[in-house]
Amino acid sequence: MAISVKQWRSVIAESAEILGDDWHVAGKGRYTALVRSRPQWLFHLVYQEPTSNGRLVAYQGLLSAPLPGSESGQGGVTGGQFRDPERPDLRFKDVSDPGVVAEFAQTASRLKLDPVFDVSKALEVEEDYYVRNCERGNEDRIYSGMTLRRLISLRVLCGSRPLPDLVSDVRRVLVDDEFSSFGILGDRSPDRGEARNRAMWQDLFARLEAADRPAVEELLAQTRFDSLRAFGLAEEDIPDPIFPKMEVQW
């Protein structure tokens, strides 16, 4: 059962004290969340679902593209459905208990989110999924919209393919033209919605066509910064971006 915004903020403030320096409170109103400190390219947070159910959700978002409006993100989990194999009877349902919220943040991160917390590892996992889905004839059915954008965004960030292939990848995203994600936690404001999402990918395509890697990195860094600031992180809580070493030089 959902609790009020004021109650939720009080709960996660206590949860952050339990967890120590690795987590802190960010955001405002119904977008207030428990956030993993010092985010790089993968953004971890725990929030109360903005519905009457008010379920706990642990989210992982990729910051090299505008955050999608997904309930649980890539590899995310909800408290009522999440299971710890070592404690199968444990449930994370009481959003009013700071201890429960803190334990959910730790457990969900350890079991679900941390294994792909490094973007190079995240790309490796995504490419493995992609190959298997293509072998099964599922490419066209699965790779559209948010799923396609995540794969291509990771490829660009990691520089994992020759430049002509990356240009073709981003062109595929633009042809797909499925940008109807409305921002983290379902925010439908125009500046974080479909138009902003499409504009970022059009800009990325132009910078890749110009073979300007510094300009590409500048765009990815600004996209990351804008997403974190829009979510409520103070500038001093946003570390400088560390770009992974390009796998293919161009």
Side-chain angles (χ1 to χ4, degrees):
M1 193 70 174
I3 58 177
S4 71
V5 170
K6 183 177 180 180
Q7 290 172 318
W8 172 243
R9 192 172 191 90
S10 176
V11 167
I12 60 174
E14 290 188 44
S15 299
E17 290 184 9
I18 294 171
L19 292 166
D21 293 340
D22 286 343
W23 295 81
H24 66 276
V25 177
K28 297 180 180 179
R30 67 191 184 100
Y31 301 124
T32 304
L34 188 63
V35 176
R36 191 80 169 267
S37 300
R38 300 173 295 280
Q40 269 299 320
W41 293 104
L42 292 166
F43 185 41
H44 287 192
L45 64 151
V46 171
Y47 65 91
Q48 178 186 209
E49 186 181 49
T51 67
S52 59
N53 291 327
R55 297 181 301 175
L56 285 173
V57 178
Y59 177 99
Q60 184 199 73
L62 178 64
L63 292 166
S64 53
L67 291 171
S70 169
E71 179 182 84
S72 54
Q74 180 67 28
V77 292
T78 57
Q81 298 174 342
F82 183 61
R83 300 289 183 270
D84 182 343
E86 297 179 359
R87 298 173 293 174
D89 296 328
L90 182 63
R91 300 292 183 271
F92 302 97
K93 293 185 177 181
D94 189 355
V95 298
S96 65
D97 186 331
V100 170
V101 175
E103 188 170 17
F104 175 60
Q106 287 179 316
T107 307
S109 291
R110 176 172 56 85
L111 295 180
K112 286 288 290 185
L113 305 183
D114 281 354
V116 288
F117 196 49
D118 175 81
V119 288
S120 296
K121 177 62 177 178
L123 175 61
E124 181 183 329
V125 170
E126 289 294 329
E127 293 287 13
D128 183 57
Y129 286 157
Y130 180 69
V131 169
R132 283 187 284 161
N133 280 313
C134 289
E135 290 174 347
R136 295 167 182 166
N138 293 330
E139 181 181 8
D140 292 339
R141 181 176 65 83
I142 293 177
Y143 288 93
S144 179
M146 183 174 66
T147 306
L148 176 63
R149 293 198 306 272
R150 179 180 171 84
L151 171 64
I152 303 308
S153 186
L154 280 167
R155 285 177 175 175
V156 173
L157 176 61
C158 295
S160 65
R161 286 153 64 82
L163 180 58
D165 292 345
L166 293 178
V167 171
S168 296
D169 282 341
V170 176
R171 182 184 292 112
R172 180 180 174 184
V173 171
L174 294 174
V175 170
D176 179 61
D177 198 32
E178 180 50 68
F179 297 102
S180 55
S181 298
F182 296 101
I184 185 72
L185 306 186
D187 179 17
R188 294 170 182 259
S189 60
D191 63 326
R192 294 169 67 194
E194 185 172 345
R196 175 176 178 262
N197 207 346
R198 181 180 289 106
M200 181 269 173
W201 284 94
Q202 291 170 337
D203 193 0
L204 178 60
F205 181 74
R207 296 181 191 219
L208 282 169
E209 273 203 316
D212 191 341
R213 180 67 188 184
V216 168
E217 291 189 352
E218 178 186 47
L219 176 61
L220 300 183
Q222 188 62 51
T223 299
R224 168 185 176 270
F225 180 82
D226 290 345
S227 291
L228 292 173
R229 287 291 289 134
F231 192 75
L233 271 71
E235 287 193 37
E236 57 268 25
D237 293 328
I238 302 176
D240 292 338
I242 300 173
F243 284 88
K245 183 178 179 181
M246 291 178 62
E247 296 179 19
V248 180
Q249 297 296 318
W250 49 268

